[in-house]
mmCIF file of all heavy atoms in Angstrom:
data_model
loop_
_atom_site.group_PDB
_atom_site.id
_atom_site.type_symbol
_atom_site.label_atom_id
_atom_site.label_comp_id
_atom_site.label_asym_id
_atom_site.label_seq_id
_atom_site.Cartn_x
_atom_site.Cartn_y
_atom_site.Cartn_z
ATOM 1 N N ASP A 1 -82.485 68.927 -48.531
ATOM 2 C CA ASP A 1 -83.868 68.566 -48.791
ATOM 3 C C ASP A 1 -84.178 68.647 -50.292
ATOM 4 O O ASP A 1 -84.831 67.759 -50.849
ATOM 5 C CB ASP A 1 -84.805 69.485 -47.995
ATOM 6 C CG ASP A 1 -86.233 69.019 -48.044
ATOM 7 O OD1 ASP A 1 -86.469 67.802 -47.862
ATOM 8 O OD2 ASP A 1 -87.129 69.870 -48.265
ATOM 9 N N ILE A 2 -83.720 69.686 -50.949
ATOM 10 C CA ILE A 2 -83.922 69.835 -52.396
ATOM 11 C C ILE A 2 -83.213 68.708 -53.154
ATOM 12 O O ILE A 2 -83.772 68.122 -54.080
ATOM 13 C CB ILE A 2 -83.434 71.216 -52.879
ATOM 14 C CG1 ILE A 2 -84.379 72.309 -52.354
ATOM 15 C CG2 ILE A 2 -83.341 71.274 -54.405
ATOM 16 C CD1 ILE A 2 -83.878 73.719 -52.592
ATOM 17 N N ALA A 3 -81.998 68.379 -52.744
ATOM 18 C CA ALA A 3 -81.242 67.316 -53.410
ATOM 19 C C ALA A 3 -81.957 65.974 -53.270
ATOM 20 O O ALA A 3 -82.043 65.205 -54.235
ATOM 21 C CB ALA A 3 -79.834 67.231 -52.833
ATOM 22 N N HIS A 4 -82.491 65.679 -52.081
ATOM 23 C CA HIS A 4 -83.240 64.429 -51.896
ATOM 24 C C HIS A 4 -84.499 64.416 -52.758
ATOM 25 O O HIS A 4 -84.851 63.383 -53.339
ATOM 26 C CB HIS A 4 -83.596 64.224 -50.422
ATOM 27 C CG HIS A 4 -82.444 63.816 -49.566
ATOM 28 N ND1 HIS A 4 -81.722 62.663 -49.772
ATOM 29 C CD2 HIS A 4 -81.870 64.426 -48.495
ATOM 30 C CE1 HIS A 4 -80.765 62.567 -48.873
ATOM 31 N NE2 HIS A 4 -80.826 63.634 -48.081
ATOM 32 N N GLY A 5 -85.186 65.534 -52.841
ATOM 33 C CA GLY A 5 -86.387 65.622 -53.679
ATOM 34 C C GLY A 5 -86.071 65.388 -55.143
ATOM 35 O O GLY A 5 -86.803 64.674 -55.833
ATOM 36 N N ILE A 6 -84.990 65.970 -55.614
ATOM 37 C CA ILE A 6 -84.584 65.781 -57.013
ATOM 38 C C ILE A 6 -84.212 64.325 -57.254
ATOM 39 O O ILE A 6 -84.576 63.739 -58.275
ATOM 40 C CB ILE A 6 -83.418 66.727 -57.368
ATOM 41 C CG1 ILE A 6 -83.920 68.174 -57.412
ATOM 42 C CG2 ILE A 6 -82.769 66.330 -58.684
ATOM 43 C CD1 ILE A 6 -82.818 69.206 -57.555
ATOM 44 N N ASN A 7 -83.524 63.714 -56.305
ATOM 45 C CA ASN A 7 -83.129 62.314 -56.429
ATOM 46 C C ASN A 7 -84.358 61.406 -56.489
ATOM 47 O O ASN A 7 -84.445 60.520 -57.352
ATOM 48 C CB ASN A 7 -82.234 61.915 -55.260
ATOM 49 C CG ASN A 7 -81.580 60.571 -55.471
ATOM 50 O OD1 ASN A 7 -81.366 60.149 -56.591
ATOM 51 N ND2 ASN A 7 -81.270 59.891 -54.384
ATOM 52 N N GLU A 8 -85.330 61.615 -55.602
ATOM 53 C CA GLU A 8 -86.550 60.804 -55.605
ATOM 54 C C GLU A 8 -87.338 61.000 -56.899
ATOM 55 O O GLU A 8 -87.852 60.040 -57.468
ATOM 56 C CB GLU A 8 -87.417 61.148 -54.398
ATOM 57 C CG GLU A 8 -86.835 60.681 -53.087
ATOM 58 C CD GLU A 8 -87.612 61.186 -51.883
ATOM 59 O OE1 GLU A 8 -88.687 61.803 -52.076
ATOM 60 O OE2 GLU A 8 -87.141 60.973 -50.759
ATOM 61 N N HIS A 9 -87.438 62.246 -57.349
ATOM 62 C CA HIS A 9 -88.156 62.523 -58.592
ATOM 63 C C HIS A 9 -87.443 61.861 -59.783
ATOM 64 O O HIS A 9 -88.095 61.320 -60.677
ATOM 65 C CB HIS A 9 -88.275 64.025 -58.811
ATOM 66 C CG HIS A 9 -89.106 64.406 -59.982
ATOM 67 N ND1 HIS A 9 -90.468 64.203 -60.030
ATOM 68 C CD2 HIS A 9 -88.775 64.952 -61.188
ATOM 69 C CE1 HIS A 9 -90.925 64.613 -61.200
ATOM 70 N NE2 HIS A 9 -89.921 65.070 -61.916
ATOM 71 N N GLY A 10 -86.133 61.900 -59.778
ATOM 72 C CA GLY A 10 -85.361 61.256 -60.844
ATOM 73 C C GLY A 10 -85.573 59.751 -60.870
ATOM 74 O O GLY A 10 -85.714 59.151 -61.944
ATOM 75 N N GLU A 11 -85.619 59.123 -59.684
ATOM 76 C CA GLU A 11 -85.874 57.685 -59.628
ATOM 77 C C GLU A 11 -87.269 57.350 -60.142
ATOM 78 O O GLU A 11 -87.464 56.366 -60.851
ATOM 79 C CB GLU A 11 -85.708 57.183 -58.190
ATOM 80 C CG GLU A 11 -84.270 57.168 -57.714
ATOM 81 C CD GLU A 11 -84.138 56.801 -56.243
ATOM 82 O OE1 GLU A 11 -85.145 56.404 -55.626
ATOM 83 O OE2 GLU A 11 -83.025 56.914 -55.720
ATOM 84 N N LEU A 12 -88.250 58.168 -59.777
ATOM 85 C CA LEU A 12 -89.612 57.960 -60.254
ATOM 86 C C LEU A 12 -89.682 58.095 -61.773
ATOM 87 O O LEU A 12 -90.305 57.275 -62.456
ATOM 88 C CB LEU A 12 -90.563 58.960 -59.590
ATOM 89 C CG LEU A 12 -92.024 58.891 -60.022
ATOM 90 C CD1 LEU A 12 -92.638 57.550 -59.651
ATOM 91 C CD2 LEU A 12 -92.805 60.026 -59.383
ATOM 92 N N MET A 13 -89.026 59.121 -62.310
ATOM 93 C CA MET A 13 -89.024 59.309 -63.767
ATOM 94 C C MET A 13 -88.307 58.159 -64.472
ATOM 95 O O MET A 13 -88.760 57.694 -65.521
ATOM 96 C CB MET A 13 -88.365 60.646 -64.133
ATOM 97 C CG MET A 13 -89.199 61.852 -63.761
ATOM 98 S SD MET A 13 -90.818 61.867 -64.549
ATOM 99 C CE MET A 13 -90.365 61.988 -66.246
ATOM 100 N N ALA A 14 -87.205 57.685 -63.901
ATOM 101 C CA ALA A 14 -86.481 56.560 -64.502
ATOM 102 C C ALA A 14 -87.357 55.314 -64.515
ATOM 103 O O ALA A 14 -87.391 54.576 -65.509
ATOM 104 C CB ALA A 14 -85.184 56.301 -63.742
ATOM 105 N N ASP A 15 -88.097 55.086 -63.429
ATOM 106 C CA ASP A 15 -89.003 53.940 -63.366
ATOM 107 C C ASP A 15 -90.084 54.064 -64.438
ATOM 108 O O ASP A 15 -90.411 53.089 -65.121
ATOM 109 C CB ASP A 15 -89.641 53.848 -61.979
ATOM 110 C CG ASP A 15 -90.620 52.692 -61.869
ATOM 111 O OD1 ASP A 15 -90.246 51.569 -62.243
ATOM 112 O OD2 ASP A 15 -91.764 52.925 -61.415
ATOM 113 N N ARG A 16 -90.633 55.262 -64.594
ATOM 114 C CA ARG A 16 -91.683 55.458 -65.605
ATOM 115 C C ARG A 16 -91.124 55.284 -67.020
ATOM 116 O O ARG A 16 -91.827 54.801 -67.909
ATOM 117 C CB ARG A 16 -92.313 56.829 -65.447
ATOM 118 C CG ARG A 16 -93.146 56.921 -64.166
ATOM 119 C CD ARG A 16 -93.838 58.218 -64.057
ATOM 120 N NE ARG A 16 -95.077 58.120 -64.842
ATOM 121 C CZ ARG A 16 -95.941 59.098 -64.942
ATOM 122 N NH1 ARG A 16 -95.721 60.243 -64.339
ATOM 123 N NH2 ARG A 16 -97.032 58.955 -65.645
ATOM 124 N N LEU A 17 -89.873 55.681 -67.230
ATOM 125 C CA LEU A 17 -89.281 55.527 -68.561
ATOM 126 C C LEU A 17 -88.963 54.064 -68.868
ATOM 127 O O LEU A 17 -89.040 53.636 -70.017
ATOM 128 C CB LEU A 17 -88.023 56.384 -68.685
ATOM 129 C CG LEU A 17 -88.263 57.891 -68.729
ATOM 130 C CD1 LEU A 17 -86.938 58.639 -68.668
ATOM 131 C CD2 LEU A 17 -89.043 58.280 -69.967
ATOM 132 N N ARG A 18 -88.601 53.291 -67.836
ATOM 133 C CA ARG A 18 -88.315 51.866 -68.045
ATOM 134 C C ARG A 18 -89.592 51.052 -68.194
ATOM 135 O O ARG A 18 -89.568 49.939 -68.688
ATOM 136 C CB ARG A 18 -87.487 51.314 -66.878
ATOM 137 C CG ARG A 18 -86.039 51.733 -66.881
ATOM 138 C CD ARG A 18 -85.233 50.972 -65.843
ATOM 139 N NE ARG A 18 -85.756 51.122 -64.499
ATOM 140 C CZ ARG A 18 -85.370 52.031 -63.611
ATOM 141 N NH1 ARG A 18 -84.431 52.889 -63.940
ATOM 142 N NH2 ARG A 18 -85.894 52.088 -62.412
ATOM 143 N N THR A 19 -90.715 51.597 -67.727
ATOM 144 C CA THR A 19 -91.999 50.907 -67.792
ATOM 145 C C THR A 19 -92.791 51.479 -68.956
ATOM 146 O O THR A 19 -93.125 52.651 -68.962
ATOM 147 C CB THR A 19 -92.785 51.117 -66.479
ATOM 148 O OG1 THR A 19 -91.980 50.702 -65.386
ATOM 149 C CG2 THR A 19 -94.065 50.326 -66.497
ATOM 150 N N ASP A 20 -93.079 50.633 -69.924
ATOM 151 C CA ASP A 20 -93.847 51.088 -71.075
ATOM 152 C C ASP A 20 -94.633 49.916 -71.639
ATOM 153 O O ASP A 20 -94.207 48.764 -71.539
ATOM 154 C CB ASP A 20 -92.916 51.670 -72.140
ATOM 155 C CG ASP A 20 -93.647 52.569 -73.125
ATOM 156 O OD1 ASP A 20 -94.851 52.828 -72.932
ATOM 157 O OD2 ASP A 20 -93.016 53.011 -74.100
ATOM 158 N N PHE A 21 -95.769 50.219 -72.208
ATOM 159 C CA PHE A 21 -96.595 49.190 -72.817
ATOM 160 C C PHE A 21 -97.368 49.802 -73.973
ATOM 161 O O PHE A 21 -97.441 51.019 -74.117
ATOM 162 C CB PHE A 21 -97.547 48.558 -71.791
ATOM 163 C CG PHE A 21 -98.673 49.464 -71.367
ATOM 164 C CD1 PHE A 21 -99.933 49.341 -71.927
ATOM 165 C CD2 PHE A 21 -98.484 50.437 -70.401
ATOM 166 C CE1 PHE A 21 -100.972 50.173 -71.539
ATOM 167 C CE2 PHE A 21 -99.511 51.266 -70.003
ATOM 168 C CZ PHE A 21 -100.762 51.138 -70.572
ATOM 169 N N ALA A 22 -97.939 48.937 -74.783
ATOM 170 C CA ALA A 22 -98.743 49.380 -75.917
ATOM 171 C C ALA A 22 -100.000 48.524 -75.993
ATOM 172 O O ALA A 22 -99.965 47.335 -75.662
ATOM 173 C CB ALA A 22 -97.960 49.259 -77.222
ATOM 174 N N ILE A 23 -101.086 49.148 -76.403
ATOM 175 C CA ILE A 23 -102.314 48.418 -76.713
ATOM 176 C C ILE A 23 -102.209 48.067 -78.192
ATOM 177 O O ILE A 23 -102.148 48.960 -79.033
ATOM 178 C CB ILE A 23 -103.557 49.276 -76.429
ATOM 179 C CG1 ILE A 23 -103.549 49.791 -74.988
ATOM 180 C CG2 ILE A 23 -104.828 48.479 -76.722
ATOM 181 C CD1 ILE A 23 -104.601 50.843 -74.691
ATOM 182 N N ILE A 24 -102.139 46.782 -78.501
ATOM 183 C CA ILE A 24 -101.784 46.384 -79.867
ATOM 184 C C ILE A 24 -102.974 45.862 -80.674
ATOM 185 O O ILE A 24 -102.783 45.194 -81.683
ATOM 186 C CB ILE A 24 -100.626 45.362 -79.868
ATOM 187 C CG1 ILE A 24 -100.981 44.105 -79.072
ATOM 188 C CG2 ILE A 24 -99.360 46.000 -79.320
ATOM 189 C CD1 ILE A 24 -99.934 43.001 -79.194
ATOM 190 N N ASN A 25 -104.185 46.184 -80.259
ATOM 191 C CA ASN A 25 -105.374 45.776 -81.018
ATOM 192 C C ASN A 25 -105.475 46.541 -82.334
ATOM 193 O O ASN A 25 -104.990 47.664 -82.448
ATOM 194 C CB ASN A 25 -106.647 46.073 -80.225
ATOM 195 C CG ASN A 25 -106.875 45.108 -79.110
ATOM 196 O OD1 ASN A 25 -106.121 45.117 -78.154
ATOM 197 N ND2 ASN A 25 -107.896 44.289 -79.222
ATOM 198 N N ASP A 26 -106.171 45.941 -83.282
ATOM 199 C CA ASP A 26 -106.607 46.643 -84.479
ATOM 200 C C ASP A 26 -107.837 47.447 -84.062
ATOM 201 O O ASP A 26 -108.856 46.867 -83.687
ATOM 202 C CB ASP A 26 -106.973 45.640 -85.576
ATOM 203 C CG ASP A 26 -107.564 46.288 -86.811
ATOM 204 O OD1 ASP A 26 -107.702 47.533 -86.839
ATOM 205 O OD2 ASP A 26 -107.906 45.543 -87.753
ATOM 206 N N PRO A 27 -107.772 48.772 -84.079
ATOM 207 C CA PRO A 27 -108.885 49.565 -83.563
ATOM 208 C C PRO A 27 -110.187 49.406 -84.347
ATOM 209 O O PRO A 27 -111.255 49.727 -83.852
ATOM 210 C CB PRO A 27 -108.379 51.003 -83.634
ATOM 211 C CG PRO A 27 -107.153 50.989 -84.438
ATOM 212 C CD PRO A 27 -106.666 49.592 -84.531
ATOM 213 N N GLN A 28 -110.101 48.896 -85.559
ATOM 214 C CA GLN A 28 -111.304 48.690 -86.366
ATOM 215 C C GLN A 28 -111.902 47.297 -86.170
ATOM 216 O O GLN A 28 -112.975 47.006 -86.707
ATOM 217 C CB GLN A 28 -110.978 48.904 -87.857
ATOM 218 C CG GLN A 28 -110.455 50.273 -88.178
ATOM 219 C CD GLN A 28 -111.478 51.371 -87.907
ATOM 220 O OE1 GLN A 28 -112.667 51.211 -88.139
ATOM 221 N NE2 GLN A 28 -111.010 52.496 -87.385
ATOM 222 N N ASN A 29 -111.181 46.422 -85.442
ATOM 223 C CA ASN A 29 -111.622 45.031 -85.324
ATOM 224 C C ASN A 29 -111.310 44.500 -83.926
ATOM 225 O O ASN A 29 -110.431 43.670 -83.757
ATOM 226 C CB ASN A 29 -110.944 44.186 -86.403
ATOM 227 C CG ASN A 29 -111.506 42.799 -86.486
ATOM 228 O OD1 ASN A 29 -112.603 42.523 -86.016
ATOM 229 N ND2 ASN A 29 -110.743 41.903 -87.082
ATOM 230 N N ILE A 30 -112.049 44.948 -82.926
ATOM 231 C CA ILE A 30 -111.866 44.494 -81.548
ATOM 232 C C ILE A 30 -112.562 43.141 -81.398
ATOM 233 O O ILE A 30 -113.754 43.011 -81.725
ATOM 234 C CB ILE A 30 -112.460 45.512 -80.542
ATOM 235 C CG1 ILE A 30 -111.766 46.868 -80.682
ATOM 236 C CG2 ILE A 30 -112.384 44.993 -79.115
ATOM 237 C CD1 ILE A 30 -110.292 46.867 -80.370
#
């Protein structure tokens, strides 16, 4: 059960690390 939990958590973390974005506006000029 612990091994499955670690595996699922690792997959979730890998997905979050592969998914990334940035807000690229000029904050002074929206």
Side-chain angles (χ1 to χ4, degrees):
D1 189 46
I2 290 171
H4 286 300
I6 290 172
N7 191 27
E8 290 172 7
H9 186 68
E11 289 174 8
L12 178 63
M13 289 301 296
D15 179 50
R16 291 184 83 179
L17 290 173
R18 285 190 303 267
T19 305
D20 199 5
F21 72 99
I23 305 170
I24 59 173
N25 285 68
D26 174 0
Q28 301 296 322
N29 189 19
I30 300 297

